[in-house]
């Protein structure tokens, strides 16, 4: 898919540490200038206000687990977090109810179908399948701590803000635009209710979910949020322990399997990192123990993943040696078994 982008890049097979700081910064800037001219993809318009996004905006941020930030392009431009919120709400829910319950109630397997598929629910006896598709995300939001929709919303906003290390604002225009056009999510949520799979009132849970998708972030925020998952739940900027290392492990495994929807397999094959995308053009890709990439560029591919964002992540994964599946033979040592 992206192999031709990286043929001339010196590739790191190492999965140990990142290269020295100056080299990381140089590669982030290089990725930005390399993919800025790409014009493929289409800006999402099924949520009317998203269609107004500037297709030329392109920001890349890499935050290391020690808090070092490397930026290129539009890294402080704000956009609604959309589906990337699902990753962090999952982490908060894992923290609140634990590994077993998330597995039992929501599931962790890819549907192989688009993120807003109704058929996926019907085919699986009403199981939402995983927290990264809309059905599973609405079911997961409903599991947030709080007795009322208002309390759950507060917990979502406060929790995501702790990941970002700053108070995240709600984009009222995006909320209004999506609320007026999200009949499909309402249908999915009603269907979940009919299968007895939604805790809480359908309309209210869709509203909390839509609010969480309307929180404003930047590429820098995404990289900080991802780097928190990369460092066992410790925010690298505020040094606050947001969730436990076990929650990060569980969340990242779901992102690897389902974060890029039905293209998650291709993404892993090319990039080899847990990641999450959103329809406004954001991507967060997490390199456990090292840091995270935050990308923003509105034009999307057919599954709803940012085109420039994916290509930049592919390039940086190769050049920085981030792919989780890469290794190279260990040099023989004295005492090794003879062949
Ligand atoms: N809020 C959007 C929706 O529910 C999120 C989808 C996405 O980012 N893929 O349709």
């Amino acid at each position: 898919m992206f192999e031709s982008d990286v043929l001339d890049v010196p590739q790191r097979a190492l999965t140990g540490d990142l290269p020295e700081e100056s080299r990381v910064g140089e590669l982030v800037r290089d990725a930005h200038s390399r993919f800025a001219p790409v014009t493929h993809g289409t800006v999402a318009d099924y949520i009317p206000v998203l269609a107004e996004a500037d297709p030329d905006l392109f920001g890349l941020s890499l935050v290391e687990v020690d808090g070092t930030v490397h930026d290129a392009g539009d890294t402080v431009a704000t956009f609604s977090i959309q589906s990337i919120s699902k990753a962090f709400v999952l982490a908060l829910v894992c923290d609140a109810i634990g590994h077993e319950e998330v597995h039992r109630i929501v599931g962790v397997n890819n549907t192989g179908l688009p993120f807003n598929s109704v058929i996926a629910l019907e085919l699986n006896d009403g199981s939402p399948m995983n927290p990264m598709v809309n059905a599973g995300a609405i079911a997961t939001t409903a599991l947030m701590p709080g007795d009322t929709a208002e309390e759950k919303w507060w917990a979502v906003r406060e929790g995501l803000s702790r990941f970002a290390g700053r108070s995240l604002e709600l984009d009222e225009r995006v909320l209004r635009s999506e609320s007026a056009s999200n009949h499909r999510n309402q249908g999915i949520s009603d269907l979940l209710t009919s299968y007895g799979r939604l805790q809480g009132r359908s309309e209210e849970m869709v509203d909390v979910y839509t609010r969480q998708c309307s929180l404003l972030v930047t590429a820098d925020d995404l990289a900080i949020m991802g780097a928190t998952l990369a460092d066992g739940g410790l925010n690298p900027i505020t040094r606050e322990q947001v969730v436990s290392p076990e929650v990060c492990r569980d969340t990242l495994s779901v992102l690897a399997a389902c974060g890029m929807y039905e293209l998650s397999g291709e993404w892993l094959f090319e990039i080899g990192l847990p990641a999450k995308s959103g329809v406004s053009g954001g991507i967060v890709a997490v390199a456990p123990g090292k840091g995270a990439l935050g990308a923003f560029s509105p034009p999307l591919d057919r599954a709803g993943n940012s085109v420039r964002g994916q290509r930049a992540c592919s390039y940086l994964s190769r050049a920085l040696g981030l792919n989780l599946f890469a290794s190279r033979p260990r040099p023989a040592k004295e005492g090794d078994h003879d062949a």
Side-chain angles (χ1 to χ4, degrees):
M1 182 169 52
F2 307 124
E3 192 74 21
S4 57
D5 284 342
V6 290
L7 287 178
D8 61 325
V9 183
Q11 303 197 9
R12 286 188 110 223
L14 283 174
T15 55
D17 297 324
L18 286 167
E20 64 192 43
E21 227 175 276
S22 58
R23 181 72 185 135
V24 177
E26 199 181 308
L27 285 165
V28 169
R29 288 188 296 279
D30 190 36
H32 186 272
S33 50
R34 204 175 252 253
F35 301 111
V38 171
T39 53
H40 307 306
T42 321
V43 174
D45 60 2
Y46 77 99
I47 299 170
V49 87
L50 294 188
E52 295 170 16
D54 176 356
D56 293 332
L57 285 173
F58 180 29
L60 269 184
S61 175
L62 188 152
V63 173
E64 300 190 33
V65 289
D66 68 2
T68 311
V69 180
H70 307 276
D71 271 348
D74 304 305
T75 51
V76 293
T78 55
F79 53 95
S80 54
I81 188 169
Q82 297 299 338
S83 278
I84 301 173
S85 63
K86 295 168 179 171
F88 299 95
V89 171
L90 168 63
L92 297 170
V93 168
C94 281
D95 201 39
I97 70 171
H99 181 106
E100 292 302 329
E101 286 297 273
V102 167
H103 186 203
R104 186 177 70 79
I105 304 173
V106 190
V108 294
N109 283 317
N110 200 311
T111 64
L113 289 164
F115 65 82
N116 56 1
S117 172
V118 175
I119 289 178
L121 261 180
E122 290 285 54
L123 288 176
N124 292 292
D125 254 349
S127 164
M129 295 300 285
N130 73 69
M132 299 301 126
V133 290
N134 290 8
I138 296 166
T140 305
T141 294
L143 296 169
M144 280 295 289
D147 293 331
T148 62
E150 194 51 43
E151 283 174 18
K152 288 180 194 294
W153 161 232
W154 187 87
V156 166
R157 184 179 191 160
E158 206 262 338
L160 265 57
S161 296
R162 289 168 71 209
F163 273 107
R166 70 178 186 94
S167 186
L168 298 178
E169 297 297 320
L170 180 72
D171 187 327
E172 299 278 355
R173 274 191 82 220
V174 172
L175 176 63
R176 274 198 302 277
S177 180
E178 183 161 355
S179 298
S181 57
N182 65 355
H183 310 293
R184 199 173 178 92
N185 285 343
Q186 288 169 18
I188 286 172
S189 183
D190 286 348
L191 202 52
L192 280 173
T193 304
S194 79
Y195 279 108
R197 303 258 190 182
L198 188 72
Q199 303 191 6
R201 287 190 45 211
S202 176
E203 222 180 282
E204 289 181 354
M205 293 309 118
V206 174
D207 182 55
V208 179
Y209 165 78
T210 311
R211 285 171 182 272
Q212 87 183 36
C213 290
S214 306
L215 285 170
L216 283 170
V217 290
T218 64
D220 274 339
D221 289 329
L222 292 183
I224 294 169
M225 295 171 89
T228 303
L229 291 177
D231 197 30
L234 186 75
N235 183 309
I237 306 293
T238 63
R239 311 297 300 164
E240 181 185 357
Q241 187 73 42
V242 182
V243 288
S244 69
E246 293 71 26
V247 161
C248 295
R249 176 203 62 203
D250 291 347
T251 303
L252 294 178
S253 67
V254 174
L255 297 196
C258 316
M260 305 301 275
Y261 313 118
E262 67 275 30
L263 300 186
S264 296
E266 269 177 48
W267 168 274
L268 269 195
F269 188 62
E270 300 294 342
I271 291 139
L273 290 175
K276 185 74 205 85
S277 60
V279 280
S280 50
I283 297 182
V284 61
V286 181
K290 294 176 184 167
L293 287 162
F296 171 54
S297 166
L300 310 176
D301 69 7
R302 67 185 155 85
N305 301 323
S306 166
V307 173
R308 284 195 197 102
Q310 289 184 81
R311 294 177 70 170
C313 288
S314 164
Y315 172 85
L316 288 170
S317 166
R318 305 278 178 121
L320 295 170
L322 303 180
N323 192 315
L324 292 181
F325 304 102
S327 62
R328 63 177 182 192
R330 189 179 69 98
K333 280 198 195 135
E334 217 178 304
D336 278 359
H337 287 293
D338 290 333

